[in-house]
Amino acid sequence: MAEATEAAFGDLALLLAEFDTTHGDHDTARAALVDFYLSTEHRDQRGTGCRIAGFAGDMAREPTAGEVRETYAAGVREFAAWMSADADDGLPMVAALVGAILLARATAGTELSEKILASTHTALTAPHGPRPGIPGTGAARRGPDAT
């Protein structure tokens, strides 16, 4: 399983490098990846689509420590670093992308699947002002647990 996970993240690194090369600058490449990732085409590539999403269930069943879990975590961190526009937004973006594709695949064939893809795309690409509690938006946290 560790070898398959390592190979999957190697394939992802090649794909991300291809996006950078094809699109010229990183911001454009990142936007193009979001467009592709949240497309019906990607949703329907169950066997060849994102292995981060594909392996997520397997990783959840792995022991909490070990090589395979560390390999997966390192790959997620690398993907988040590539997605990051600033120090705080890469990980929430990856979590939103992977969660959306998992839910869209689980609901494929229903109206909800399309709505998951479209609404997540809007959430990740629409210009937003500061949003309390959302890293990278410039907003201070509010409420009883704010620091």
Side-chain angles (χ1 to χ4, degrees):
M1 183 75 171
E3 288 178 12
T5 303
E6 195 170 314
F9 283 107
D11 291 346
L12 177 61
L14 292 173
L15 176 69
L16 298 177
E18 182 180 321
F19 267 84
D20 276 330
T21 300
T22 301
H23 297 285
D25 72 88
H26 191 69
D27 289 340
T28 304
R30 185 174 43 251
L33 181 79
V34 170
D35 291 347
F36 168 74
Y37 201 97
L38 296 173
S39 68
T40 56
E41 174 188 358
H42 182 236
R43 178 201 60 204
D44 296 341
Q45 292 178 342
R46 294 174 194 270
T48 59
C50 179
R51 294 192 192 132
I52 293 176
F55 286 162
D58 296 328
M59 291 302 117
R61 289 185 289 278
E62 283 292 316
T64 57
E67 180 184 359
V68 68
R69 177 93 28 121
E70 289 301 320
T71 300
Y72 187 84
V76 171
R77 280 191 292 273
E78 288 173 19
F79 187 26
W82 189 89
M83 289 299 299
S84 185
D86 67 37
D88 294 328
D89 68 346
L91 198 54
M93 287 184 74
V94 168
L97 289 169
V98 173
I101 204 68
L102 285 169
L103 291 173
R105 286 177 177 166
T107 59
T110 71
E111 180 181 307
L112 182 60
S113 181
E114 305 287 329
K115 188 170 184 173
I116 290 166
L117 295 173
S119 63
T120 304
H121 187 275
T122 298
L124 292 179
T125 60
H128 296 285
R131 294 174 288 163
I134 306 297
T137 67
R141 291 183 61 194
R142 297 185 187 147
D145 63 340
T147 54

